[in-house]
Amino acid sequence: MRSILITGGNGGLGLGIGRYFLEKFPEDRVWLGVRSNRDKAEALVAEFEGRCRVVDLEVTSKDAWEKAVETIMAADGQLDVLVNNAGAHQDSLLATMTDEAWSSVVSSNLDSVFLGCRAVIRPMMGRKFGRIINIASLSAVLPPLGQTNYAAAKAGVVALSQTLAKEVARAGITVNSILPGYIETEALSHMDADAAKLAKRGIPMRRFGRPEEVAVAVGFLACQDAGYVTGSALKIDGGIF
């Protein structure tokens, strides 16, 4: 049995990752870290009753992380996999970017990963096993205009993952990051048909990725057989970069 915590567990990517574990690995227990808008997360819980639960988690709060980990440890006695998936963006050119837009995006995308990794390291070290998968973005290595805050935060996630991987390698814990490109989630819902068509022209595969295609990569990095894979940054982008 593995106990798995996925942040951003109410969004398309988080739900897709959670569903993958629940469908492919009958012994797994999945915790969906959610701050608000629980309906879709609760639907997955109902579908996999007894194996999937929602845990309150404001990812930018140290206290919330500690409480969430305590809740999971009390219920399962272990926490094997952390998928740091929560994030947000507020795009604008740097010259007009507000202080709030900078600090909010950096906090939700980078501070959250720092807090989450720190919160789970001790219980993972206690079992000499752990898998941490941090969802970054292709923007970390191929940043578009208007995303100085988001790109900087996601680049920080990659660097944090690579550094932490070295620090905990001897404890049996691996730390990797995934850099998705365009994935069919609510994050792309604002794109009109013309913008979507233009975006696809820049993708060698000429299509957007699907959440389940990211979930498969997360599943591999979380498995026992991926024990020698750590500090990696895996792009899932249809060949853009």
Side-chain angles (χ1 to χ4, degrees):
M1 189 271 281
R2 292 182 301 180
S3 182
I4 300 161
L5 171 59
I6 303 167
T7 69
N10 55 352
L13 190 53
L15 290 167
I17 294 169
R19 177 175 292 279
Y20 176 84
F21 281 115
L22 292 164
E23 289 182 346
K24 298 293 184 181
F25 306 100
E27 300 301 317
D28 284 353
R29 289 171 58 88
V30 171
W31 295 80
L32 302 173
V34 175
R35 180 186 62 182
S36 58
N37 301 324
R38 292 169 167 253
D39 291 352
K40 292 181 180 180
E42 292 289 2
L44 191 65
V45 170
E47 187 177 344
F48 294 91
E49 187 175 357
R51 296 179 52 218
C52 184
R53 294 180 65 181
V54 170
V55 61
D56 290 324
L57 184 53
E58 166 50 72
V59 294
T60 62
S61 165
K62 172 179 175 289
D63 292 341
W65 269 107
E66 291 178 353
K67 185 175 180 180
V69 171
E70 287 174 3
T71 297
I72 295 169
M73 292 297 294
D76 292 350
Q78 62 194 74
L79 177 51
D80 304 286
V81 179
L82 169 64
V83 183
N84 276 310
N85 167 69
H89 62 88
Q90 296 181 47
D91 297 352
S92 69
L93 297 177
L94 186 142
T96 57
M97 184 175 292
T98 65
D99 293 349
E100 189 279 333
W102 174 269
S103 59
S104 175
V105 168
V106 170
S107 181
S108 61
N109 291 283
L110 180 56
D111 293 350
S112 63
V113 173
F114 159 69
L115 293 170
C117 290
R118 190 175 64 177
V120 304
I121 286 298
R122 184 169 293 177
M124 287 181 175
M125 281 184 166
R127 300 188 69 237
K128 298 294 183 183
F129 178 86
R131 299 285 184 264
I132 297 174
I133 301 101
N134 296 322
I135 307 298
S137 169
L138 191 64
S139 294
V141 294
L142 191 65
L145 294 172
Q147 283 196 346
T148 50
N149 50 2
Y150 185 76
K154 291 301 190 181
V157 169
V158 174
L160 182 154
S161 303
Q162 292 171 337
T163 304
L164 180 59
K166 296 177 181 180
E167 296 179 359
V168 299
R170 293 182 65 185
I173 302 168
T174 65
V175 188
N176 295 284
S177 56
I178 288 180
L179 286 63
Y182 290 100
I183 306 297
E184 292 177 342
T185 65
E186 62 280 352
L188 295 184
S189 61
H190 67 282
M191 296 181 71
D192 60 31
D194 289 338
K197 182 182 288 187
L198 182 62
K200 289 176 182 178
R201 286 177 184 168
I203 304 171
M205 288 189 177
R206 295 298 191 269
R207 67 173 179 87
F208 294 152
R210 298 183 294 271
E212 53 267 31
E213 292 175 311
V214 178
V216 169
V218 173
F220 167 69
L221 292 173
C223 77
Q224 186 78 36
D225 292 338
Y228 203 59
V229 181
T230 195
S232 66
L234 175 62
K235 296 182 287 83
I236 304 178
D237 65 352
I240 296 174
F241 186 68

